[in-house]
Amino acid sequence: MRRWCLRSRQRAGLAGAANALTACTLLYSTRGKVKVHVKTRDGMCQDIDAPVGITLMEALRDVAKLDVAGSCNGNVECGTCHVHLSEASFEKTPAPSEREVDLLAKALEVLETSRLSCQVVVSEKLDGLEVELPTY
């Protein structure tokens, strides 16, 4: 997933040949926090430090101040916190509930690795999580 997450200066074609394939770097996380790599709706990459114990939706919306509505506040009722995870990140998360799967069936741009971010609790196991916000 990191291959599409190039830094802005690389996207602008300003990087030298040696840096042409450089992707967002994995940084070490702060204690009690994990690193989350996010591809925003405009295609830019942003790394955030998400506190352990909150949901991914809260990390994206409240910590990183990204455009994730979460209209139902994590009650699995709206689908406005839908995100795409990389395959490796998807495999790190627990299986989605039947309720989550039913709601995702009604969402736009659903992939096999789609999740409702309100249902993914940030844990140390998820350090390096790769998330893409759908373009809608």
Side-chain angles (χ1 to χ4, degrees), residues 46 48 110 124-125:
Q46 180 175 346
I48 62 171
V110 176
E124 290 180 1
K125 175 182 157 185

Side-chain angles (χ1 to χ4, degrees), residues 56-68:
L56 181 57
M57 177 193 72
E58 294 166 326
L60 296 171
R61 181 188 68 186
D62 304 335
V63 175
K65 306 294 186 205
L66 294 173
D67 184 24
V68 175

